[in-house]
């Protein structure tokens, strides 16, 4: 286990999944590039990483990686056109994404699972603790989670997962954690993890969501992790090994998240995220809320 105090500067963002729940939109575009209001979902995730002090970002990409790379790169032609028009507002929005962080890329040849995607980050990360942010999981910036997870790692060492209490009927959609209390509110010790269990087999209703702070020992475990559920190499299985044998890389703790979070890889949650964030926007919100109220109340004429 590395020292709990080793600073965390690197963020890994796996974005190589097939996005089958969102076909056909994701046939030629990564789901992380789907717009949430006027920014692709992945930009919110990179902004979250940099807000938590993680300025070195490694994106694990798959097929169709071009749009992701282009989004975080400069687009001189577009910049010139906007500059010539004197459109400073739009120009600054175009520049925003390329100035956020140093973004590196590694290719996951075959999408063999989230654990495999994380393993692809090893040459870049080395023997340092690091954060993993799933590119399709959006955490509201007003509810910071990563900073709290980093503090828990500093206190206990090892690895830290983010947990969400879900209705027991939903637990089969997530990795699920068996936990015991630590005496600190919203911080638990993880005793075991199981990927997408049947409701009857779930050790709790704590679902693992897409933020992790990991000890580099996870790379050693991932190397020997066999394909699990769905034939994929599961990060949950590697964390289960670490939780069961803390001598390998320290304990696993969970931070219980009670804030706002959207799974933008799920169609219904994606729609909720857009409606909510659009309603709260200063520029779009007032008109959009007004329209939405009328729509919900059935006060609209066909053409409105
Ligand atoms: P999901 O479980 O959401 O899978 O991946 P998916 O393939 O992306 O989407 P669906 O279920 O088919 O619609 C969780 C996260 O892990 C990444 C995905 O990009 C997503 O951020 N991932 C998954 C990889 O990077 N590589 C993989 O092999 C699998």
């Amino acid at each position: 286990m590395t020292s709990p105090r080793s600073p965390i500067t690197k963020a890994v963002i796996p974005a190589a999944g097939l996005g089958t729940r969102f076909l056909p939109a994701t046939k030629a575009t990564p789901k992380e590039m789907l717009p949430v209001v006027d920014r692709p979902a992945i930009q919110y995730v990179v902004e979250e990483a940099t807000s938590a002090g993680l300025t070195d970002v490694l994106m694990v990409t798959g097929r169709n990686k071009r749009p992701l790379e282009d989004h975080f790169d400069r687009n001189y032609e577009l910049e010139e056109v906007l500059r010539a028009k004197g459109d400073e507002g739009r120009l600054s929005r175009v520049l925003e994404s390329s100035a956020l962080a140093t973004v590196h890329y590694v290719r996951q040849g075959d999408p063999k699972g989230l654990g495999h995607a994380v393993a692809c980050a090893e040459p870049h990360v080395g023997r340092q603790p690091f954060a993993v942010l799933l590119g399709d999981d959006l955490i509201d910036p007003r509810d910071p989670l990563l900073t709290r997870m980093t503090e828990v790692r500093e206190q206990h060492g090892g690895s830290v997962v983010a947990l969400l209490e879900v209705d027991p009927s939903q637990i089969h959609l997530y990795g699920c954690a068996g936990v015991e209390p630590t005496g600190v509110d919203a911080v638990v010790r993880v005793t075991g993890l199981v990927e997408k269990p049947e409701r009857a087999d779930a050790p709790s209703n704590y679902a693992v969501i897409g933020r992790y702070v990991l000890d580099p020992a996870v790379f050693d475990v991932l190397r020997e992790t066999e394909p699990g559920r769905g034939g994929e190499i599961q990060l949950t299985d590697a964390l289960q090994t670490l939780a069961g044998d803390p001598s390998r890389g320290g304990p696993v703790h969970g931070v219980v998240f009670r804030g706002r979070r959207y799974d933008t890889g799920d169609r219904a949650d994606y729609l909720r995220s857009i409606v909510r964030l659009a309603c709260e926007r200063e520029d779009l919100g007032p008109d959009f809320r007004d329209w939405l109220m009328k729509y919900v109340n059935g006060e609209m004429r066909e053409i409105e």
Side-chain angles (χ1 to χ4, degrees):
M1 179 176 79
T2 52
S3 156
R5 298 232 158 249
S6 309
I8 300 174
T9 56
K10 290 184 179 167
V12 173
I13 305 185
L18 293 176
T20 55
R21 284 170 294 164
F22 236 118
L23 284 168
T26 47
K27 187 176 170 193
T29 309
K31 66 178 165 179
E32 291 79 6
M33 283 303 294
L34 295 177
V36 176
V37 189
D38 51 10
R39 282 181 288 169
I42 190 92
Q43 188 172 331
Y44 292 85
V45 177
V46 173
E47 282 169 2
E48 182 193 341
T50 54
S51 306
L54 310 171
T55 48
D56 178 313
V57 172
L58 176 73
M59 238 169 249
V60 185
T61 59
R63 75 203 206 303
N64 309 329
K65 65 169 183 165
R66 264 299 285 282
L68 283 162
E69 287 194 355
D70 287 348
H71 184 70
F72 291 100
D73 201 355
R74 299 282 297 269
N75 182 335
Y76 293 103
E77 203 181 335
L78 183 57
E79 287 169 30
E80 259 330 297
V81 172
L82 293 171
R83 204 168 280 119
K85 281 187 180 168
D87 194 340
E88 294 301 323
R90 291 199 173 101
L91 177 62
S92 71
R93 273 185 259 157
V94 164
L95 290 170
E96 234 170 47
S97 54
S98 50
L100 269 175
T102 314
V103 185
H104 307 267
Y105 300 89
V106 63
R107 190 86 187 231
Q108 183 189 15
D110 257 341
K112 293 189 209 156
L114 177 57
H116 180 250
V118 170
C120 293
E122 184 175 8
H124 182 83
V125 170
R127 299 311 292 180
Q128 294 293 317
F130 62 105
V132 173
L133 295 84
L134 297 195
D136 57 353
D137 219 336
L138 220 144
I139 301 288
D140 195 295
R142 291 161 295 184
D143 303 316
L145 169 63
L146 261 186
T147 311
R148 183 69 191 120
M149 294 173 74
T150 311
E151 285 165 5
V152 171
R153 149 90 197 175
E154 275 174 14
Q155 198 183 351
H156 298 281
S159 298
V160 185
V161 296
L163 300 174
L164 184 74
E165 266 189 280
V166 300
D167 190 272
S169 65
Q170 299 298 301
I171 199 70
H172 67 282
L173 300 171
Y174 297 87
C176 174
V179 301
E180 58 187 33
T182 59
V184 176
D185 180 44
V187 180
V188 290
R189 170 92 181 232
V190 174
T191 53
L193 287 142
V194 46
E195 183 63 21
K196 299 193 171 83
E198 292 303 322
R199 182 178 179 162
D201 305 328
S204 74
N205 62 336
Y206 284 114
V208 178
I209 56 169
R211 298 293 178 271
Y212 307 80
V213 170
L214 299 176
D215 190 272
V218 75
F219 292 129
D220 308 326
V221 176
L222 279 169
R223 259 193 297 279
E224 56 198 53
T225 301
E226 297 288 333
R229 208 185 152 93
E232 297 192 340
I233 298 174
Q234 299 287 354
L235 181 60
T236 308
D237 293 345
L239 288 166
Q240 156 68 13
T241 305
L242 287 174
D245 181 4
S247 70
R248 294 198 68 173
V252 180
H253 282 84
V255 168
V256 180
F257 182 62
R258 301 196 179 113
R260 288 155 282 195
R261 173 247 174 197
Y262 313 97
D263 174 3
T264 55
D266 173 80
R267 288 171 303 173
D269 224 21
Y270 173 74
L271 293 174
R272 279 191 279 272
S273 70
I274 294 179
V275 171
R276 191 153 180 174
L277 294 174
C279 282
E280 292 168 1
R281 280 271 293 258
E282 267 178 34
D283 52 349
L284 299 166
D287 282 352
F288 183 62
R289 275 198 305 268
D290 199 35
W291 176 87
L292 191 62
M293 287 288 276
K294 283 194 198 149
Y295 181 71
V296 170
N297 292 332
E299 292 168 16
M300 310 262 309
R301 290 180 301 130
E302 286 293 316
I303 50 154
E304 277 176 310

